[in-house]
Amino acid sequence: MAFAHLHVHTEYSLLDGACRVEALARRAKELGFTSLAITDHGVMYGAVAFYEACVKEGVKPVIGCEVYVAPRGRTDREHGVDSEYTHLILLCKNETGYRNLCYLVSMGFVEGFYIKPRIDWPLLYGHSEGLVCLSGCLAGDIPQKIVSGRYDEAKRKALELREAFGEDFYLELQRHGIPDEDAAARGLIRLHEETGIPLALTNDAHYIDKKDAYYQDVLMCIQTGKTVDEAERMRFETQEFYLKSEEEMRALFPGQEEAADNTALIAQKCSFDFEFGRYHLPRFKLPEGETDSAAYLKKLCEAGFLRRYGAGLGIDKEHLIGIRVDDVDPGILVVQGNAQVPCPLLRLLLGAQLQQEYREKAGDMGERIDLLLGPKAASDAFVKAHVAPKHAVVPNGALEQG
């Protein structure tokens, strides 16, 4: 087919999307689509389930996200100003794009969370490689500028995004029967004519079939703490937010066939596949002068031991430190540099490193952050205790915090 849905919210757009991934993939196949995207709100934790469901049905999965963009910087949190975030669609072309999108979404939570997980424009432009960008729904920055009468500002932002994404930036056309969408569409088509930025036709799919609009409305009520009988509440204005057929989509904008055709071209650009069955662990850069990962980890443990208990306690620290380095199931070994290091130790060292970085950024708050890394055995707990400060398990098994 010459069309692909590139703006789709699954059940992982919590209390908003009503598309179960398995049923969504089946419906896409029934409609004859060969590609389908996932673009949940601000998150990517549905990507693997969606990928597997699509592969099972013989539909090419396109991994993406509808990110929230802060009106100023992602760290700004002034009430009444920084709550006016906008939407933007990002799709992965390749592994580089996937890694960049994962980073952007993660930073949205770690650094930009205010009502929603938000990124900002500088962060996006620094991690645009490997991504296709669509201008978003009516809540996107460019459509919002158009409908509020700021066409020149919308044009500047469109040119800015084209500079960042090149031929991978598209102006997104939608029509769900909402009056402002027509004004936005006129402005987007004008932008296309004046700048040459291509158009892409999408439907903001939140449920699979039109009849499912009621169930999505119930989700919205749960999200907002309302009942379906209340008149004054948040709701979708029409029942057109479903997975439409290609014929239905093309009928939305007669004369804009290229906008529909471009969706298939975008899907062809996106060729990211998950690799299952292998661990993908971080590679730590050892400090200057250190050449052996296991030896360095042991050194950290020894230093932490002395820091906590001092010398002369009569505790066999060599046995406690060595047991997890020397007596480990080979099935959980990973290669780091030229040394083999047990996976649990990497996990614990990673936690210690992140905790230290967080402490340096957060000051006193960092001291209160516990590692969410449950020890697998007493020796794991020992490593955790001495590599990671402020969360100790003393040799006799008693938990000591402080």
Side-chain angles (χ1 to χ4, degrees):
M1 300 186 78
F3 181 82
H5 276 285
L6 302 177
H7 193 138
V8 182
H9 296 279
T10 75
E11 60 199 286
Y12 293 93
S13 286
L14 300 181
L15 298 180
D16 185 8
C19 297
R20 297 283 191 183
V21 290
E22 295 86 357
L24 176 64
R26 285 196 300 270
R27 181 57 177 161
K29 182 179 180 179
E30 290 172 1
L31 291 171
F33 294 120
T34 56
S35 302
L36 181 69
I38 179 174
T39 57
D40 284 317
H41 281 303
V43 300
M44 293 179 66
Y45 39 64
V48 172
F50 172 82
Y51 178 93
E52 293 179 325
C54 285
V55 169
K56 181 180 177 181
E57 297 296 336
V59 175
K60 178 183 177 180
V62 176
I63 305 302
C65 183
E66 183 170 25
V67 296
Y68 299 102
V69 184
R72 299 191 296 172
R74 63 186 181 277
T75 59
D76 293 323
R77 295 174 173 85
E78 182 180 340
H79 179 69
V81 177
D82 296 303
S83 57
E84 299 300 320
Y85 50 81
T86 55
H87 298 193
L88 194 73
I89 294 291
L90 298 174
L91 306 170
C92 301
K93 294 173 61 180
N94 47 39
E95 185 175 348
T96 299
Y98 176 72
R99 290 177 180 272
N100 275 328
L101 186 56
C102 286
Y103 182 81
L104 289 167
V105 170
S106 296
M107 288 301 100
F109 279 95
V110 174
E111 297 182 350
F113 197 94
Y114 180 67
I115 304 174
K116 300 290 185 181
R118 310 167 308 155
I119 64 171
D120 57 23
W121 299 112
L123 185 68
L124 174 64
Y125 298 154
H127 297 83
S128 60
E129 184 181 355
L131 294 172
V132 174
C133 177
L134 278 60
S135 59
C137 60
L138 189 59
D141 185 74
I142 292 174
Q144 283 293 296
K145 284 179 167 61
I146 291 172
V147 298
S148 61
R150 296 177 290 156
Y151 178 81
D152 289 342
E153 292 181 37
K155 186 174 182 178
R156 282 196 295 271
K157 179 57 69 175
L159 293 172
E160 187 179 296
L161 284 163
R162 183 172 68 178
E163 178 70 21
F165 290 92
E167 295 180 353
D168 293 324
F169 174 59
Y170 294 80
L171 298 167
E172 191 172 351
L173 283 182
Q174 292 188 346
R175 181 168 283 161
H176 304 89
I178 301 172
D180 279 349
E181 284 182 326
D182 291 332
R186 288 192 295 271
L188 291 166
I189 292 170
R190 178 183 169 189
L191 278 175
H192 162 66
E193 293 170 347
E194 292 179 359
T195 66
I197 299 173
L199 299 167
L201 177 62
T202 71
N203 210 60
D204 196 353
H206 281 68
Y207 39 91
I208 297 174
D209 297 308
K210 191 169 186 174
K211 60 181 175 59
D212 297 330
Y214 172 78
Y215 305 108
Q216 195 274 339
D217 193 43
V218 171
L219 288 178
M220 294 292 290
C221 287
I222 297 171
Q223 177 192 150
T224 56
K226 304 293 184 178
T227 68
V228 293
D229 296 326
E230 292 184 63
E232 299 298 323
R233 62 176 176 84
M234 181 187 296
R235 69 178 77 208
F236 282 27
E237 296 182 47
T238 70
Q239 296 183 348
E240 299 297 323
F241 295 82
Y242 63 97
L243 199 73
K244 296 183 176 182
S245 68
E246 179 176 351
E247 292 73 24
E248 288 176 299
M249 290 302 301
R250 289 183 178 275
L252 294 174
F253 285 92
Q256 294 295 339
E257 287 77 11
E258 186 178 353
D261 295 340
N262 283 340
T263 62
L265 297 176
I266 293 169
Q268 289 176 12
K269 290 183 180 183
C270 298
S271 299
F272 171 74
D273 290 300
F274 286 108
E275 182 182 12
F276 300 116
R278 285 187 58 211
Y279 289 112
H280 297 272
L281 296 171
R283 182 177 295 275
F284 294 99
K285 184 177 180 180
L286 293 174
E288 186 175 353
E290 300 289 345
T291 59
D292 184 272
S293 299
Y296 178 59
L297 180 59
K298 186 175 181 179
K299 184 185 295 186
L300 290 176
C301 290
E302 289 175 337
F305 187 95
L306 292 174
R307 183 175 64 251
R308 289 186 177 278
Y309 309 121
L313 293 182
I315 299 172
D316 185 5
K317 72 178 189 302
E318 292 295 332
H319 174 70
L320 287 170
I321 295 173
I323 187 171
R324 294 305 289 171
V325 174
D326 303 326
D327 185 21
V328 177
D329 180 353
I332 60 172
L333 292 179
V334 297
V335 176
Q336 180 176 329
N338 295 320
Q340 290 185 317
V341 181
C343 179
L345 300 191
L346 272 181
R347 173 171 53 84
L348 295 170
L349 183 55
L350 171 63
Q353 178 177 317
L354 293 179
Q355 187 187 42
Q356 183 62 33
E357 291 176 359
Y358 215 129
R359 180 178 295 108
E360 291 172 357
K361 290 183 179 180
D364 292 340
M365 180 60 72
E367 299 284 349
R368 302 174 63 86
I369 298 171
D370 287 336
L371 293 175
L372 301 177
L373 300 170
K376 299 292 185 182
S379 50
D380 265 5
F382 178 85
V383 175
K384 182 176 179 180
H386 300 94
V387 174
K390 298 300 178 183
H391 192 153
V393 181
V394 296
N396 65 7
L399 182 65
E400 177 189 23
Q401 292 180 321

